[in-house]
Amino acid sequence: MANVRVERTEEGGFRATNARGAEVAIGGGDQEGVFTPVELLLAAVGGCNIVTVEPLTAKRGHRLVRLAMTVGAEKVEQNRLGPVTVTYDVELPSEEADEVFRAVAERVHQKYCTVSRSLEEGTEVRLELP
């Protein structure tokens, strides 16, 4: 099970913390040095894909020279995103690596990225109040 704690800080900002002590500052789009909640959602999609693609391509003998991505989405309503687009930026060591990378990236997107699959399938979000 995955858990994070999100809380207001003494300075009036917000912070998400995991059990391993990592922290992410959260705020509005007009604040410097923070992620908005939507940006964190997009980072989760990208992070889930990239941390799965990288070891799988390397395991097949094709460590990519550069592996990065941009993840974006537009709001289609005030409180709803349209499609999320993942755009890879890679530098491949060979043509053979291109074939491996494309196969792995497709498979990760379709089957193995928990975040993307949860968004696509509409995971229920439950509210528990004290």
Side-chain angles (χ1 to χ4, degrees), residues 73-88:
E74 297 291 329
K75 283 191 174 183
V76 293
E77 296 176 20
Q78 183 178 0
N79 61 351
R80 190 166 168 269
L81 292 177
V84 174
T85 302
V86 175
T87 306
Y88 277 91

Side-chain angles (χ1 to χ4, degrees), residues 43-94:
V45 170
C48 184
N49 277 276
I50 208 165
V51 302
T52 309
V53 165
E54 198 284 327
L56 292 176
T57 54
K59 182 178 178 181
R60 287 159 178 76
H62 301 286
R63 179 140 173 91
L64 305 178
V65 177
R66 181 180 65 253
L67 176 59
M69 64 174 49
T70 301
V71 184
E74 297 291 329
K75 283 191 174 183
V76 293
E77 296 176 20
Q78 183 178 0
N79 61 351
R80 190 166 168 269
L81 292 177
V84 174
T85 302
V86 175
T87 306
Y88 277 91
D89 175 17
V90 297
E91 183 178 338
L92 304 162
S94 66

Side-chain angles (χ1 to χ4, degrees), residues 20-49:
R20 295 174 309 283
E23 295 183 357
V24 176
I26 304 170
D30 58 343
Q31 295 174 281
E32 293 294 320
V34 300
F35 281 92
T36 68
V38 170
E39 290 168 338
L40 288 172
L41 178 71
L42 298 176
V45 170
C48 184
N49 277 276

